[in-house]
């Protein structure tokens, strides 16, 4: 029996839209990792979860979903 983690097609990592003060919330399967202000922050969060190749995953839509705004942009609109 396996745990349900949402739709099978949904990437496990989500970088949410920029917040009003700048930065983007980062989650893995719904678990909040933190507020990123740069790609380096996202990579650090993902490495902390055990993904050594985190930097290479940022542009892989099967692994990372960028919601709202442009990918790799962290400032508020």
């Amino acid at each position: 029996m396996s745990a349900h983690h949402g739709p099978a097609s949904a990437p496990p990592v989500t970088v949410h839209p920029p917040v009003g003060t700048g930065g983007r919330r980062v989650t893995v399967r719904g678990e909040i990792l933190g507020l990123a202000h740069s790609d380096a922050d996202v990579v650090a969060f993902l490495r902390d979860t055990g993904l050594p190749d985190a930097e290479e995953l940022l542009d892989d839509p099967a692994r990372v979903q960028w919601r709202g705004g442009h990918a790799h942009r962290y400032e508020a609109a």
Side-chain angles (χ1 to χ4, degrees), residues 5-20:
H5 294 293
S9 61
V13 178
T14 303
V15 181
H16 296 269
V19 297

Side-chain angles (χ1 to χ4, degrees), residues 39-63:
D39 284 353
D41 290 344
V42 178
V43 168
F45 294 152
L46 297 179
R47 284 190 177 144
D48 286 348
T49 69
L51 293 170
D53 60 344
E55 193 168 307
E56 299 165 15
L57 301 178
L58 293 184
D59 292 314
D60 181 351
R63 306 288 295 277

